[in-house]
Structure formats: structure tokens, C-alpha cells
Amino acid sequence: MTETVENAFEQGLERYKDGESIDTLIPHFKDICDRAPKNPTAWACLAWLYLLADKPESALKAAKKSVKIDSRPPQARINLALAMLDTGAKGVRDHIEAAEQIISLDEDIRNDIMENIEDGLSRKPDWKSLQRVKKWLISP
């Protein structure tokens, strides 16, 4: 019996939370994206994994797909901004401002974003672009 995309996604998130290697998670999420190419959350997760693995070009492609499918989730916008910073691409401010606007409206979303940022910094403490994005998002 083949695993559903939803089950594969949930298992991938659990494996990530359990601290599994990014190198083994990337193919898992790439497979999910191949099986569900219109799933913006899967593309956002893949972009995040690529960013953690220091693969900014791959992250940029995945993040662009995520935002193209659905531009509303702030994490997708943040991932795109991070990939743009890491590759030297222009246009970061638009994505940061869009994320700021969304997280300013919902405390739960803001808390989720801040947890994700802290998670990223715990996994990759010297991540300069994430440190910059964090500063931008928490400054008054």
C-alpha cells in the first residue's frame, strides 16, 4: 500500500523534529514535492531544508515555487527572503514586509515564525541571513 502524501509529510515533520539529518530529509521532501507539486507547504519545507544544508540556489527555486503557489504564508516569504539573501538576489524587502504584515495580525502565526527562527538558529547558529531576518521582524 502506498503512503499518502499527507502521511509522508507528517512523518517528514516528525523526523525533522526528532533531529534526523537534513541530508536524509531533503530527498524525502523532494519526493513529496514531486508527488504533490501544487503543495506550497511542502515546497516551503524543502526550501528550509536546502537553506539549512547550505544549498541556497536549490532553496531559491523551492521557495519561489512555494510563494508562486500561495504567497500568503509568512514562512514561505521568509524562506524566499533568506534564499535571496544567501544568493545575493534583489527584492528581499518586499517579502520581509509581506511577512511582517501577516505576523502583525496574528499572534499565533508570529509565535510560530519566531519558533521556526529559533529552531533554524539552533541548527545553524552562524546563519547570518536568518539573524538579519530575525532582527528585521522583531524590531519595532
Side-chain angles (χ1 to χ4, degrees), residues 59-71:
L60 185 60
K61 289 176 189 169
K64 281 181 178 179
K65 285 181 185 177
S66 177
V67 170
K68 184 177 181 181
I69 296 165
D70 186 354
S71 64

Side-chain angles (χ1 to χ4, degrees), residues 15-132:
R15 289 165 54 188
Y16 176 83
K17 289 175 187 173
D18 290 343
E20 187 171 321
S21 163
I22 300 302
D23 293 333
T24 62
L25 290 170
I26 287 174
H28 181 79
F29 278 91
K30 177 77 176 91
D31 178 61
I32 293 168
C33 291
D34 289 344
R35 292 170 55 196
K38 300 275 188 213
N39 183 326
T41 308
W43 284 109
C45 289
L46 183 60
W48 181 255
L49 294 171
Y50 280 137
L51 287 163
L52 286 170
D54 293 320
K55 297 179 180 179
E57 294 293 337
S58 296
L60 185 60
K61 289 176 189 169
K64 281 181 178 179
K65 285 181 185 177
S66 177
V67 170
K68 184 177 181 181
I69 296 165
D70 186 354
S71 64
R72 295 169 298 178
Q75 187 65 53
R77 293 291 194 128
I78 290 167
N79 292 352
L80 182 53
L82 289 167
M84 293 171 82
L85 285 168
D86 287 352
T87 59
K90 304 242 183 276
V92 172
R93 182 183 309 214
D94 292 342
H95 299 292
I96 293 298
E97 288 175 354
E100 278 178 321
Q101 186 175 20
I102 296 164
I103 66 174
S104 72
L105 300 173
D106 189 318
E107 190 66 26
D108 289 337
I109 291 173
R110 178 179 169 69
N111 291 338
D112 288 345
I113 294 298
M114 290 304 150
E115 282 179 27
N116 292 345
I117 288 172
E118 292 306 320
D119 174 71
L121 291 172
S122 73
R123 292 171 188 266
K124 190 175 166 183
D126 60 340
W127 194 352
K128 301 287 185 234
S129 56
L130 185 58
Q131 292 167 354
R132 286 174 69 189

